[in-house]
Amino acid sequence: MFALGLVDCGRCPRGNGEERLSDQEIKTISSREVYRNKWTRVREDVIERASTGERGIYGVVDKSPACIIVPLESTPEGEFIYLVSQFRYTVGARYMELPQGSWEGVNVDPEELARGELREETGLVAARMTLLATQQIGYGVLNQQQSIFLAEGLTQGEHDRDAEESDLEVHRVRVAEFEAMLLDGRIVDNCSAAAWGIYRLWRERRTS
């Protein structure tokens, strides 16, 4: 059999009845910035691995904290969710996704950010915002947190989009259709999929 370098969690410290991972730290020897623009900072770090003592290079992309919003509307006709679509230059295609974004270089309260992004992109104002979780996006290379908010009690107002969002369109779809889109490839944004999964777990725990 192949040796995969698995950690024996039977020997790991435990707390609250749960298995805990061992801490094998990576030491930063030096760091230099190799690129910066309005939205992104890229640095290259020389690192040393605690397990072997060997040195290597780590490329890290730093971005400001972000948010993603699940704008949910409950009506007598059923549940609806608001999505946005825009052309994503990096993949050369237009896709639908949940409203999301960040305010570059600004330290801001996560709920204020979420309310601002929701209004800017869709014009929607939420009577209730619930923080569901905070996760890391692509932490193999990207250092960016994303707070997941549920937005309820929605009222429609005017959007206030940036120039980069001039082609953005808003779509109101049934929840069942949204879930079908996650499975059939019409939605490929992993943050949208993760946010919906977190919401479903949160809702199930509240009703169980």
Side-chain angles (χ1 to χ4, degrees):
M1 297 180 65
F2 294 105
L4 299 178
L6 300 177
V7 176
D8 180 4
C9 283
R11 294 179 292 181
C12 296
R14 296 172 185 268
N16 300 324
E18 297 180 352
E19 295 177 350
R20 296 178 58 189
L21 303 178
S22 61
D23 292 324
Q24 294 186 353
E25 294 183 355
I26 297 177
K27 181 180 179 181
T28 304
I29 304 301
S30 64
S31 180
R32 69 184 184 97
E33 185 178 288
V34 296
Y35 177 77
R36 178 192 289 264
N37 63 25
K38 177 182 176 181
W39 305 276
T40 302
R41 173 177 176 258
V42 182
R43 69 177 198 267
E44 184 178 89
D45 294 355
V46 176
I47 57 95
E48 184 179 280
R49 301 181 187 280
S51 57
T52 63
E54 295 182 352
R55 292 192 176 185
I57 293 176
Y58 232 108
V60 180
V61 180
D62 288 319
K63 288 181 70 68
S64 299
C67 67
I68 186 166
I69 307 101
V70 180
L72 191 64
E73 184 178 57
S74 297
T75 75
E77 292 75 34
E79 288 189 321
F80 294 83
I81 196 165
Y82 285 85
L83 305 173
V84 297
S85 67
Q86 57 186 312
F87 183 82
R88 290 298 191 179
Y89 176 78
T90 50
V91 293
R94 173 178 285 273
Y95 285 109
M96 291 191 190
E97 60 196 39
L98 290 172
Q100 57 192 288
S102 65
W103 292 346
E104 290 75 18
V106 177
N107 292 323
V108 64
D109 175 73
E111 182 175 331
E112 180 184 351
L113 173 62
R115 287 184 177 277
E117 282 295 321
L118 180 63
R119 182 186 58 80
E120 288 174 13
E121 293 191 359
T122 68
L124 293 169
V125 177
R128 298 179 301 282
M129 295 286 281
T130 304
L131 176 62
L132 303 180
T134 300
Q135 298 192 318
Q136 294 287 151
I137 307 174
Y139 57 29
V141 65
L142 176 63
N143 180 15
Q144 185 181 38
Q145 287 188 333
Q146 186 176 62
S147 298
I148 302 169
F149 280 89
L150 171 66
E152 299 175 288
L154 304 173
T155 56
Q156 187 66 59
E158 294 294 326
H159 66 75
D160 184 22
R161 296 169 191 158
D162 294 333
E164 295 86 358
E165 300 168 332
S166 59
D167 70 328
L168 189 146
E169 297 175 354
V170 180
H171 307 264
R172 179 177 179 265
V173 301
R174 291 185 179 274
V175 163
E177 179 67 10
F178 169 63
E179 292 184 335
M181 295 164 74
L182 288 168
L183 295 175
D184 66 19
R186 283 178 288 167
I187 293 177
V188 298
D189 175 49
N190 60 349
C191 292
S192 295
W196 187 249
I198 291 290
Y199 163 70
R200 290 289 299 266
L201 288 171
W202 175 83
R203 185 176 68 180
E204 288 173 7
R205 294 193 175 200
R206 288 188 71 215
T207 57
S208 62

